[in-house]
Amino acid sequence: MRPLLRDREVRPTVEMVEATKAKFCELLRLRRSTALIGLHDAKHIKEKVNFPGCGPLQKLGLIVMQICNDAPDKPMLCSSFARVVIVFWAGFETAKVSVPRADPRLNGGKLPLRLHPLQQESQDSMTRDAHLDGEHLVIPPQTTAVFVEPLADPK
């Protein structure tokens, strides 16, 4: 690692450092604004978090994490969203990921997913390009995209 750190050809530019800082701060704002991302209780994590698509057939470099809010008849953990789907994509090309099914015992699966409002306004144009295309989430190269499903109107 030391030779790489000494190599001036691979040193980050000031612009790269600023972009990384902005992205990190954006992710912190996302976590602070979205209660489902910051679950603290082990029971809630076990009940509400799953990783669809994991296993022997999992696409290399792809992790999909889904967090569902409580069932409508229970106190909600998040007042804004029924579920959150976070896609971590390390590949160098755009990925299409099937929209995961929501746990029928919990909240979610009634309305379409959309890119988190904070990421819709991201300084990173690649992040802003993540979107829903029918039954697929489209993820730009080397992007972590957070999709949310709003709570359905109880009426």
Side-chain angles (χ1 to χ4, degrees), residues 25-40:
C25 289
E26 175 183 291
L27 292 173
L28 289 176
R29 284 191 306 277
L30 257 163
R31 184 175 185 271
R32 187 175 54 238
S33 73
T34 309
L36 289 175
I37 295 175
L39 297 179
H40 298 286

Side-chain angles (χ1 to χ4, degrees), residues 1-18 20:
M1 189 66 156
R2 287 182 196 265
L4 282 176
L5 294 173
R6 287 188 193 117
D7 186 348
R8 292 190 184 279
E9 296 297 316
V10 295
R11 282 195 178 168
T13 64
V14 171
E15 292 81 13
M16 291 171 157
V17 171
E18 289 300 319
T20 300

Side-chain angles (χ1 to χ4, degrees), residues 9-127:
E9 296 297 316
V10 295
R11 282 195 178 168
T13 64
V14 171
E15 292 81 13
M16 291 171 157
V17 171
E18 289 300 319
T20 300
K21 179 181 171 187
K23 185 66 175 177
F24 181 73
C25 289
E26 175 183 291
L27 292 173
L28 289 176
R29 284 191 306 277
L30 257 163
R31 184 175 185 271
R32 187 175 54 238
S33 73
T34 309
L36 289 175
I37 295 175
L39 297 179
H40 298 286
D41 185 290
K43 179 179 178 253
H44 288 151
I45 293 168
K46 288 179 181 178
E47 289 176 355
K48 302 182 187 350
V49 178
N50 65 47
F51 293 87
C54 286
L57 300 177
Q58 180 178 354
K59 185 172 185 167
L60 188 63
L62 177 70
I63 299 172
V64 178
M65 179 170 72
Q66 177 173 242
I67 310 150
C68 292
N69 212 338
D70 251 321
D73 60 336
K74 294 185 178 176
M76 293 286 156
L77 297 174
C78 178
S79 61
S80 302
F81 303 116
R83 69 176 167 152
V84 174
V85 176
I86 304 172
V87 182
F88 305 88
W89 174 228
F92 292 104
E93 68 284 333
T94 298
K96 284 186 95 169
V97 180
S98 294
V99 172
R101 294 182 191 273
D103 185 332
R105 298 169 297 144
L106 300 173
N107 213 325
K110 295 168 185 63
L111 297 173
L113 292 168
R114 64 176 190 228
L115 192 61
H116 192 289
L118 289 174
Q119 286 195 320
Q120 290 175 19
E121 303 297 322
S122 178
Q123 290 182 7
D124 178 24
S125 63
M126 296 281 273
T127 299

